[in-house]
Amino acid sequence: MTEKTLLLIKPEGVIRGLIGKVIARLERKGLNISAIKLLKMSKSQSEALYSIHKTKEFFPKLIDHMTSSPIIAMVIEGPKVVSIIRAMIGATDPQDAAPGTIRAEFALNKTQNIVHASDSSKNATREIYIFFNQEEIISYEKPTEIEFLIGKIKEK
Ligand code: CDP
Ligand code: MG
C-alpha cells in the first residue's frame, strides 16, 4: 500500500544549494514526488507545522528560522514512505544521525538540520494540507526498468 509524506528542505538547505542533492536521493530510492513547490513559509504555517512543540524553549528560534527564507515543500509517495523517509533523513540532532543519512552528511546543528519529514501517516496527512491542496497532489505510476526498456525497443 502506498503512503504519502511531507518532506521540506529547510531554508539552509535551499541557501546552501542542497535541493538537487536531496531530490537525487529520493529519485535514486525510487520514490515518487507527487507535489513540489518553493515558498516562503508564513508564521501561521510554521506554527501549525510545529504546533506540538509550542511550549518548548526552542520553539521561537525554530519559527524564526523556518520563516527566514524560502523552503522547498514536497509530497513524497511510495510504500511505507513515512518510515523510509525518516530513516533516510536520520536523527533530529545531526550528531546522532546515522552515517549516510541526509542530516549526518549535510548538517551540524539541530535547528539547521536541512530537512523536515512527517513522523507518522496521520501527521503526514495533516502536514501536507498546510502546504498543498488536493489538486496539486498528483499520483502516478512509474514503469519498471524492464517496461521502460521494452517501450524504447518498440519505438524503434
Ligand atoms: O524534525 P524532527 O521530527 O526530527 O524533530 P522534532 O523533535 O519534531 O523537532 C522539530 C525541529 O525542531 C527539529 O527538526 C529541529 O530543527 C528543531 N529542534 C531544535 O531546534 N532543538 C531541539 N532541542 C529539538 C528540535
Ligand atoms: Mg517532528
Side-chain angles (χ1 to χ4, degrees), residues 51-74:
S51 57
I52 192 179
H53 298 306
K54 211 161 45 192
T55 57
K56 312 264 173 70
E57 47 65 42
F58 63 81
F59 185 75
K61 199 169 91 181
L62 179 63
I63 299 305
D64 275 357
H65 174 58
M66 290 301 291
T67 55
S68 62
S69 65
I71 62 154
I72 296 287
M74 289 177 271

Side-chain angles (χ1 to χ4, degrees), residues 11-151:
E12 68 280 13
V14 175
I15 287 169
R16 288 177 47 198
L18 298 174
I19 299 171
K21 288 205 163 78
V22 172
I23 290 178
R25 286 174 177 235
L26 307 171
E27 294 188 315
R28 202 159 64 196
K29 187 77 178 168
L31 297 167
N32 276 18
I33 299 172
S34 302
I36 182 164
K37 66 171 78 161
L38 179 134
L39 72 142
K40 192 147 182 282
M41 224 164 146
S42 67
K43 199 158 184 280
S44 65
Q45 280 175 317
S46 64
E47 285 174 350
L49 179 71
Y50 289 122
S51 57
I52 192 179
H53 298 306
K54 211 161 45 192
T55 57
K56 312 264 173 70
E57 47 65 42
F58 63 81
F59 185 75
K61 199 169 91 181
L62 179 63
I63 299 305
D64 275 357
H65 174 58
M66 290 301 291
T67 55
S68 62
S69 65
I71 62 154
I72 296 287
M74 289 177 271
V75 177
I76 312 298
E77 204 164 344
K80 298 191 177 161
V81 74
V82 172
S83 58
I84 286 173
I85 292 276
R86 287 294 296 197
M88 287 173 73
I89 72 171
T92 308
D93 188 338
Q95 289 190 35
D96 303 327
T101 58
I102 291 171
R103 285 167 167 172
E105 294 225 341
F106 301 138
L108 276 173
N109 73 70
K110 264 187 288 197
T111 305
Q112 301 192 343
N113 59 2
I114 309 294
V115 278
H116 164 86
S118 313
D119 62 5
S120 70
S121 196
K122 188 161 167 268
N123 281 338
T125 306
R126 184 186 77 81
E127 293 178 2
I128 284 168
Y129 291 104
I130 296 173
F131 299 94
F132 296 96
N133 58 47
Q134 194 69 57
E135 297 75 54
E136 291 173 307
I137 303 166
I138 302 168
S139 299
Y140 54 95
E141 301 258 320
K142 276 190 201 146
T144 61
E145 210 163 329
I146 190 71
E147 284 168 337
F148 181 72
L149 288 170
I150 290 166

